[in-house]
Amino acid sequence: MKQLKRSIYYCNLRKNDFYFFAKTGEELSLVCETKNAPSKTINREDGWRAFKIEGQLDFLLIGILAKIAQLLANNGISIFAVSTFNTDYILVKDNNFDSAIKILSENNYEIK
């Protein structure tokens, strides 16, 4: 791991569409609906579906994302997690989405 020697600011902005930007000194990443993806990119990974953890998550809550990740990992499903100020999103590849729903439902997660 590399220590970042700068202060980090985190804020919440309201928008209607799903966009997640991450910018570091080395890259700018964008997660968005496929229809909104820019045509010119350096790298691109299509074919993701997402779950939103409902409700606002307090920063003091422990293990919510870890438990979901472990359940899916135990069944051979990798995830890509995106966290916002209010909640977390779990992205899985299209071909694993139905299996992820089944696994989560069998473990008492309500999927709407």
Side-chain angles (χ1 to χ4, degrees), residues 34-92:
T34 303
K35 68 180 183 177
N36 295 330
S39 59
K40 294 182 180 181
T41 61
I42 297 169
N43 293 307
R44 183 173 169 157
E45 175 88 22
D46 288 319
W48 294 91
R49 300 278 304 274
F51 297 99
K52 175 186 177 185
I53 297 177
E54 297 244 296
Q56 188 168 344
L57 302 179
D58 187 289
F59 285 113
L60 299 176
L61 295 174
I62 298 170
I64 294 171
L65 184 58
K67 184 176 179 186
I68 294 169
Q70 189 65 57
L71 281 171
L72 296 175
N74 288 344
N75 288 276
I77 299 175
S78 63
I79 69 163
F80 173 37
V82 173
S83 295
T84 68
F85 196 87
N86 291 333
T87 194
D88 296 320
Y89 295 82
I90 295 104
L91 287 76
V92 299

Side-chain angles (χ1 to χ4, degrees), residues 3-11 23-25:
Q3 178 182 345
L4 301 180
K5 298 187 185 238
R6 57 179 66 112
S7 179
I8 305 296
Y9 175 79
Y10 191 41
C11 70
K23 183 183 182 310
T24 67

